[in-house]
Amino acid sequence: MGRTMRAALVCVATLFTAACSGAQGSSGLVADQSYVSGPGTVTKIPTDRRGAEIALSGTLLAGGAFDMADHRGKVVVVNVWGSWCPPCRAEAPGLQRVWTAVRARGVQFVGIDTRDTRAAAQAFERRFGVTYPSVADEDGELLLTFRDTLPPNAIPSTIVLDRLGRVAARIVGATTEEKLRRLIDDVLAERG
């Protein structure tokens, strides 16, 4: 077998092994057909490096409208999810428990249900007892709001906004209750 053929086989074998093992790119994300799930990697942004406030508005799954501007002065947790996403189903009960525990402390949760049907999304909320509001994002357009913060297919992802509406932290991939509570506590403890 010639060197060219051996090199080609090594290349194919390497690609196959990487694909089968869920090899991660430099971003730490693992690709799948319908979503990109990370290991729940947390990125905190120092207060002096946070960008502009996030302007997010849309139609709620339950009807009515959501506008981020109505929640200035609160810490806002934004969770990107879809009913078709297995890690989203796994993290939903924990997100609901955190929401129940922290909402009286000046924290607002909002979901962005992306690339989904309204009926499937509402069934998801009923199944997992999700009571915080979610904005419908059938075409993924609302995710562009976070284009400087999240990869466009990072589902699930969770973002914590400070009281000024700026991204203070993000979790790419599924989160845990403990991880999310710590981030919320850190942002609530900030002065100013």
Side-chain angles (χ1 to χ4, degrees):
M1 182 180 318
R3 286 192 316 188
T4 304
M5 180 62 103
R6 274 196 301 268
L9 287 173
V10 169
C11 182
V12 169
T14 302
L15 289 173
F16 180 77
T17 302
C20 290
S21 66
Q24 296 180 355
S26 60
S27 66
L29 301 177
V30 179
D32 191 287
Q33 286 182 337
S34 53
Y35 62 92
V36 175
S37 180
T41 303
V42 174
T43 303
K44 293 182 182 180
I45 302 166
T47 55
D48 62 339
R49 296 188 54 212
R50 295 178 188 165
E53 70 181 70
I54 297 295
L56 175 71
S57 61
T59 304
L60 294 169
L61 291 174
F66 179 87
D67 190 338
M68 191 73 74
D70 295 338
H71 302 283
R72 290 297 176 258
K74 291 184 176 183
V75 170
V76 178
V77 176
V78 180
N79 177 256
V80 181
W81 64 278
S83 66
W84 43 264
C85 160
C88 300
R89 291 191 290 270
E91 76 175 0
L95 288 168
Q96 177 61 36
R97 284 190 291 271
V98 175
W99 160 242
T100 300
V102 300
R103 65 183 175 188
R105 295 173 58 201
V107 178
Q108 176 64 51
F109 271 43
V110 63
I112 297 179
D113 172 47
T114 191
R115 301 179 193 106
D116 215 344
T117 66
R118 192 169 295 250
Q122 290 171 333
F124 176 98
E125 288 184 325
R126 283 190 303 274
R127 178 178 178 195
F128 295 105
V130 175
T131 61
Y132 54 85
S134 281
V135 178
D137 186 29
E138 290 95 354
D139 58 6
E141 180 104 6
L142 288 178
L143 289 185
L144 295 178
T145 303
F146 300 99
R147 68 181 152 270
D148 295 332
T149 306
L150 288 176
N153 289 336
I155 302 163
S157 288
T158 303
I159 297 171
V160 180
L161 304 177
D162 66 16
R163 289 182 179 94
L164 300 175
R166 304 172 305 170
V167 176
R170 73 174 186 180
I171 304 167
V172 176
T175 190
T176 64
E177 290 178 60
E178 181 182 338
K179 191 181 296 185
L180 184 55
R181 283 178 193 252
R182 277 196 314 259
L183 288 176
I184 292 169
D185 287 344
D186 288 350
V187 178
L188 281 170
E190 293 175 358
R191 299 289 176 229

